[in-house]
Amino acid sequence: MKSRLLVLAPPVASLIMAFVISSIVLLISGANPLTAFSNIIEFGFRPNTLVETLNWSTPLYLSAIAVAIGFRMNLFNIGVEGQYIIAAFMAAQVGHVVSLPPVLHVSVIIITAMVVGGFWAGLAGLLKVTRNINEVISTIMLNSIAVGGVVSYLLGVWDVPDPGLDTALGDIPPSGQFPSLNWLSDAVVGETRSDTWGFVVIAIVVGFAYHYMINRTSLGYDLRATGANPSAAEASGVDPKRTIVIAMVLSGMVAGLVGLPELLGASHSYSLRFTQGLGFGGIAVALLGRNHAGGIAIAALLFGWLGRASGVLEVRGDAPREIISIITGVIMLSVVVAYAIAERYKRIEEAKAAASLTGAES
Amino acid sequence: MAESAVVPAVLLEGITKRFPGVVANDEVELRVESGEIHAIAGENGAGKSTLMKILYGMQKPDEGTMTVNGLMVDFSSPTAAIEAGIGMVHQHFMLADNFTVLENIILGAEPMSGGDRIDFAEARRRILEISETYGLTVDPDALVETLGVGERQRVEIIKVLYRGAKILILDEPTAVLVPQEVEALFHNMRDLKSEGHTILFIDHKLDEVLEIADSITVLRRGRTVVTVKPEDVTARDLAELMVGSELPTPETRESTVRDDVVLEISGLTVEGSETEVSITNIDLSVHAGEIVGIAGVEGNGQQELVEALLGIRHASSGSIHLDGEDIGHWKVRRIREAGVGYIPEDRHRRGLLLDAPLWENNMLGRQQQEPFVKHGFWIDPKAARAHTEDLIDRFDVRTPNVEVPAHALSGGNQQKLIVGRELSADIKLLIAAHPTRGIDVGAQAAVWDELRAARAAGMGIILISADLDELIGLSDRIRVMLRGQLVAQLDPSEVTPRDLGSYMTGARTTA
């Protein structure tokens, strides 16, 4: 009972704190917080917003899982951004060029994205183990190389059609598109303007795979042990270099999937309008979700929802939509604080429990 | 001193301190005469630290009275205790590394001149005065980060004296010191005593207690057992008072050494980096059923030898054979799986995942083996928990259950978990580095028992220890390590700790 309360208290407390602080910010900016929040909630629970929330939570979720794999062994893969963009780009081109039967076509695209993402992140891993280059620096630089270098260069090389300013790769034919889940969303919330992207199914599979890999395999154990205590892990037989490369590659493979919900569900081609920033969003989601598959899902849905529902503030003139950035920022901060407090409390409780058996406290 | 000898410096009566679920001090009685050195002995968790924290005003007793120099006191904070002339030197030093000795000493008690300026000249004068009076040599202008442990301790003691303490509490002052530094500390303590100071100190090491203390109070499970004079007891008596039962010794006399060689190191050389010792041309063999003790002052290459044996670092020349197989270029995991167990010198750094539950800690080192993992990949939590439950029973690890994170256990129980983990595996060679460091007498005896049993069962053991009695008591042979080389081979039945000490410092080199 007590322990369950301990699990729920921090997120609830931080949401309340975020609500209070955001209200103050809204008041300062001259808006009525009650109107603003009721507008967000009213708009946020419209069927179309819910579908879009799910759609945009999917890439955030994948991105956060990619980041979390690194976090579990104290690797900070800040390069999910570049990994998913270069992966989506390559996958879009492969999807456009090859012609295969439906399921196979999609599979080839997915595998391409994972291989490219894994390779791109693996570079950072190799740099770390061979040249001792901090992965934060190398992945940031690889982001720029991916987006500014490789993608720009290949757009030129492949001589893609250039309708106006929006340079785009060719379309992926229907055999390479991911089936939508409209039938399901229609049944649950009614018909909506937006399609429901089917890729969420893959994200759920990835979530389970992540959970089992981390908690139930010796590889996951090695990753966690290295993250928790590198010296002890090494003495226990974990090869630190190998584990770093494996973790980076796995992280990159998941990162490679981040662009696919959009690519296979809506845009069907890579263009300069392709959504960016999901890699950085994933860092926040992974932190909020405490690197836990389920926690990340909730955090991704929350962030996805806030992102979608916030548009209404601007439309109705309540407040600039940047207020949502403030809210998400405040949630992040309060979560960190709330968990730190809960952690301290838990440690004290555990120490007491163990001490009561040894007879005395020293 | 002016005080009459009949008024005790400290008198604690009926002190009781409860923590949720635990009685740390249960009607403790303590009488410390003015101007004496009084030792508080007891196992880990006997309530020594709690009692000292109460006396120093860090914790308030639930019941009982305290008198200092005949006056009833009730400290609300250490500040109040300091005002009453009590000072405490903590086990973990509280010094700012990037400050000088002088700055550290006056921090928070700066002498002022002209209102807002620190009077450094006055501070220096007083520090040098204290330093001279008690033979506590320090350089006031040295940066603390450049100081060794013994010097840091002197700074802490001066800090306390600078604040006018007449009653000093030293919490395990010798735990961090090498033998020579201990002697220096004892010298300082005697000087302090002759100047009329009263010293209360906590110690595990009974021979030290007997050497320096004027009286000894033994605590067990939060209660005062007895206060004795050192001339009336032996170290064994004291240990038995602390544990409350008959005590085993580290002796293992009848040989179980077999013919088969488990480990054969020849000509092993490992390059160190600038800050590390390199080990050169080491020859060492360990037979089944044999404990080979390695004596040496820390930092003479023991760490490098252990890492070479485990495959964490590789030799530049020479060979290591385990059961006849050349393991010189194997990776750590292969070596561990081939049957090498390791009790690390620092259990927090090398031996445990502090935030992980005990059952996951029990897997450490065997995270690809049955029964913890099936098919070398899938963790079987049920089997791992069951194995851990057996282990905590067999090795008497005191814990509510196997889900408790390792950091919640006391040091002795953490160590029993590690020893159990390594010995319950199917191993041929055990590398035991300081296996009983920082644990109480009860846990120490348990670890010795296990090592003896493993030896009798035919395991080869390399025992690295700073506890010379332990080395002499347990080992079949002792080698001495000095500056990266094995310099002497000694027979533990003939060598004394004193001899061993002179080999360790290089004063003697051949047997």
Side-chain angles (χ1 to χ4, degrees):
Chain A
M1 184 57 214
K2 208 171 180 181
S3 65
R4 188 158 302 170
L5 205 70
L6 215 57
V7 172
L8 284 178
V12 171
S14 44
L15 281 178
I16 293 171
M17 210 160 118
F19 180 77
V20 171
I21 295 177
S22 315
S23 301
I24 295 168
V25 176
L26 281 166
L27 277 174
I28 292 169
S29 71
N32 180 346
L34 286 180
T35 332
F37 283 119
S38 66
N39 275 338
I40 289 182
I41 287 173
E42 187 270 323
F43 180 75
F45 284 96
R46 290 184 187 180
N48 200 62
T49 318
L50 289 177
V51 164
E52 289 198 359
T53 296
L54 187 67
N55 288 348
W56 288 102
S57 299
T58 305
L60 271 180
Y61 183 71
L62 290 165
S63 169
I65 293 288
V67 174
I69 293 173
F71 275 160
R72 275 304 178 99
M73 62 170 294
N74 284 346
L75 281 176
F76 196 175
N77 180 7
I78 209 168
V80 171
E81 185 73 19
Q83 289 145 24
Y84 92 78
I85 285 179
I86 194 170
F89 176 77
M90 295 291 187
Q93 179 70 354
V94 168
H96 169 61
V97 175
V98 302
S99 79
L100 286 165
V103 176
L104 205 58
H105 198 164
V106 170
S107 308
V108 166
I109 295 173
I110 291 177
I111 289 165
T112 307
M114 290 177 81
V115 168
V116 173
F119 170 76
W120 206 246
L123 287 179
L126 284 176
L127 285 171
K128 189 177 174 77
V129 299
T130 55
R131 289 280 172 269
N132 203 16
I133 296 168
N134 189 298
E135 75 282 0
V136 173
I137 307 212
S138 59
T139 52
I140 287 179
M141 293 175 116
L142 284 165
N143 280 347
S144 306
I145 297 171
V147 179
V150 180
V151 170
S152 307
Y153 173 72
L154 288 179
L155 279 172
V157 171
W158 289 340
D159 199 19
V160 294
D162 182 1
L165 284 175
D166 187 19
T167 311
L169 295 177
D171 279 351
I172 298 172
S175 62
Q177 300 176 3
F178 210 92
S180 81
L181 286 178
N182 287 348
W183 55 272
L184 187 63
S185 59
D186 288 354
V188 178
V189 294
E191 225 163 293
T192 54
R193 204 158 20 88
S194 307
D195 281 337
T196 307
W197 302 343
F199 209 79
V200 66
V201 175
I202 301 285
I204 292 169
V205 172
V206 168
F208 276 101
Y210 165 76
H211 179 79
Y212 280 96
M213 191 277 288
I214 287 291
N215 294 307
R216 288 285 175 271
T217 69
S218 61
L219 173 64
Y221 184 93
D222 283 356
L223 295 190
R224 283 185 292 133
T226 309
N229 187 345
S231 315
E234 186 178 15
S236 83
V238 178
D239 181 341
K241 293 185 172 179
R242 183 169 162 269
T243 317
I244 286 170
V245 174
I246 290 177
M248 281 309 279
V249 169
L250 286 176
S251 174
M253 283 167 71
V254 176
L257 297 174
V258 171
L260 298 192
E262 181 180 0
L263 183 69
L264 302 183
S267 70
H268 305 307
S269 83
Y270 183 91
S271 73
L272 291 186
R273 274 182 305 159
F274 201 79
T275 307
Q276 303 204 352
L278 292 168
F280 299 120
I283 296 170
V285 173
L287 284 172
L288 188 60
R290 307 276 294 166
N291 299 329
H292 182 275
I296 293 174
I298 295 167
L301 285 168
L302 178 66
F303 274 46
W305 184 77
L306 283 171
R308 290 296 117 185
S310 61
V312 71
L313 287 181
E314 211 162 33
V315 175
R316 301 207 180 146
D318 292 323
R321 71 181 299 159
E322 280 71 28
I323 197 81
I324 290 296
S325 307
I326 296 178
I327 297 180
T328 41
V330 171
I331 294 179
M332 290 295 306
L333 277 178
S334 28
V335 162
V336 171
V337 171
Y339 273 109
I341 294 170
E343 189 66 24
R344 191 167 303 174
Y345 181 75
K346 205 175 117 200
R347 268 178 177 260
I348 293 170
E349 288 293 307
E350 282 163 351
K352 273 183 202 158
S356 66
L357 288 166
T358 30
E361 199 257 11
S362 65
Chain B
M1 290 304 293
E3 290 112 320
S4 147
V6 289
V7 178
V10 174
L11 183 64
L12 305 183
E13 286 175 307
I15 296 287
T16 298
K17 176 71 183 173
R18 298 181 194 90
F19 295 103
V22 183
V23 183
N25 287 155
D26 189 1
E27 299 191 8
V28 171
E29 310 285 326
L30 178 67
R31 182 189 171 99
V32 182
E33 302 301 339
S34 187
E36 74 167 351
I37 297 178
H38 195 114
I40 312 281
E43 290 192 279
N44 285 343
K48 310 181 296 280
S49 292
T50 305
L51 190 65
M52 291 304 107
K53 282 178 185 163
I54 289 172
L55 180 56
Y56 190 51
M58 292 167 80
Q59 273 164 355
K60 280 185 81 80
D62 298 321
E63 286 163 31
T65 57
M66 301 197 281
T67 335
V68 174
N69 296 325
L71 298 171
M72 191 87 104
V73 292
D74 180 16
F75 300 137
S76 54
S77 70
T79 318
I82 291 167
E83 275 167 21
I86 297 177
M88 180 156 176
V89 174
H90 297 271
Q91 191 178 358
H92 300 283
F93 300 147
M94 302 187 173
L95 298 172
D97 273 359
N98 52 347
F99 275 26
T100 63
V101 168
L102 184 143
E103 287 164 344
N104 263 291
I105 291 171
I106 65 172
L107 188 63
E110 298 88 350
M112 293 301 192
S113 69
D116 58 351
R117 293 210 5 252
I118 297 177
D119 189 347
F120 283 107
E122 166 66 8
R124 183 180 308 271
R125 192 190 61 74
R126 281 184 52 197
I127 290 169
L128 290 176
E129 186 183 290
I130 294 170
S131 170
E132 257 166 55
T133 313
Y134 306 106
L136 294 157
T137 35
V138 290
D139 170 8
D141 300 314
L143 273 182
V144 164
E145 65 186 359
T146 64
L147 302 185
V149 188
E151 287 169 297
R152 284 174 195 237
Q153 193 172 51
R154 288 201 287 277
V155 175
E156 285 279 15
I157 294 174
I158 294 178
K159 211 166 102 182
V160 166
L161 294 171
Y162 184 87
R163 284 160 178 71
K166 301 297 285 178
I167 300 169
L168 279 76
I169 305 170
L170 309 180
D171 188 0
E172 296 205 30
T174 64
V176 289
L177 303 179
V178 299
Q180 289 81 350
E181 288 174 323
V182 172
E183 269 171 38
L185 171 71
F186 284 177
H187 200 83
N188 295 146
M189 285 167 72
R190 290 197 187 97
D191 285 349
L192 285 164
K193 181 177 124 180
S194 66
E195 292 292 324
H197 290 279
T198 306
I199 299 175
L200 255 165
F201 81 109
I202 299 180
D203 204 332
H204 273 325
K205 299 178 191 158
L206 302 175
D207 47 341
E208 291 176 0
V209 169
L210 290 172
E211 181 186 342
I212 186 76
D214 299 313
S215 16
I216 305 158
T217 296
V218 178
L219 294 188
R220 183 168 73 226
R221 290 174 199 271
R223 291 166 172 273
T224 309
V225 178
V226 68
T227 297
V228 293
K229 296 282 170 195
E231 52 270 25
D232 301 336
V233 287
T234 64
R236 246 189 108 72
D237 297 339
L238 266 188
E240 282 172 10
L241 287 169
M242 281 163 62
V243 193
S245 61
E246 285 281 309
L247 196 77
T249 54
E251 311 287 303
T252 46
R253 277 300 161 244
E254 68 286 14
S255 172
T256 58
V257 181
R258 304 179 189 180
D259 287 340
D260 32 341
V261 177
V262 176
L263 180 78
E264 181 82 62
I265 305 175
S266 54
L268 183 75
T269 298
V270 180
E271 305 287 343
S273 70
E274 275 173 43
T275 52
E276 291 161 340
V277 188
S278 61
I279 55 177
T280 40
N281 207 15
I282 295 231
D283 292 308
L284 179 70
S285 63
V286 180
H287 291 255
E290 181 183 41
I291 298 181
V292 177
I294 306 234
V297 177
E298 260 172 89
N300 272 285
Q302 296 94 326
Q303 178 71 21
E304 288 74 14
L305 175 63
V306 167
E307 290 184 358
L309 287 174
L310 287 172
I312 295 174
R313 44 175 98 212
H314 289 290
S316 48
S317 67
S319 68
I320 306 172
H321 285 83
L322 178 72
D323 243 9
E325 266 191 291
D326 185 353
I327 62 164
H329 291 90
W330 288 14
K331 294 208 170 205
V332 184
R333 174 156 287 158
R334 196 164 165 209
I335 292 174
R336 303 283 317 251
E337 286 180 356
V340 175
Y342 175 43
I343 299 173
E345 56 289 332
D346 179 342
R347 54 183 165 269
H348 288 180
R349 203 175 83 81
R350 273 265 163 89
L352 294 169
L353 308 175
L354 286 173
D355 287 326
L358 299 188
W359 68 268
E360 286 196 346
N361 273 286
N362 186 28
M363 291 172 59
L364 194 65
R366 277 175 292 169
Q367 60 260 42
Q368 292 193 347
Q369 291 174 48
E370 303 268 1
F372 307 100
V373 169
K374 284 185 289 200
H375 312 298
F377 194 68
W378 296 101
I379 293 174
D380 184 348
K382 221 173 165 183
R385 286 192 182 97
H387 185 280
T388 312
E389 270 156 18
D390 287 349
L391 182 139
I392 63 177
D393 274 353
R394 193 181 133 201
F395 293 89
D396 189 30
V397 180
R398 300 198 194 147
T399 170
N401 56 56
V402 298
E403 299 297 333
V404 169
H407 64 70
L409 263 53
S410 70
N413 282 302
Q414 289 176 345
Q415 191 70 4
K416 283 192 276 186
L417 179 81
I418 292 176
V419 170
R421 173 178 80 198
E422 300 304 323
L423 293 181
S424 67
D426 182 18
I427 59 172
K428 299 168 187 145
L429 175 74
L430 177 70
I431 303 165
H434 307 282
T436 60
R437 170 175 283 179
I439 63 177
D440 60 58
V441 183
Q444 187 178 42
V447 170
W448 285 338
D449 275 343
E450 293 300 339
L451 291 180
R452 264 191 295 260
R455 166 180 175 268
M459 194 180 285
I461 299 176
I462 292 184
L463 174 67
I464 297 171
S465 181
D467 179 340
L468 301 185
D469 291 324
E470 175 175 276
L471 269 182
I472 292 172
L474 286 178
S475 306
D476 294 294
R477 270 190 298 143
I478 296 179
R479 303 292 307 268
V480 179
M481 201 158 189
L482 181 66
R483 291 183 216 104
Q485 287 179 299
L486 288 178
V487 292
Q489 168 145 333
L490 305 163
D491 181 345
S493 60
E494 287 164 7
V495 76
T496 65
R498 184 159 290 276
D499 291 341
L500 210 46
S502 53
Y503 284 109
M504 285 161 62
T505 51
R508 281 170 71 180
T509 47
T510 45

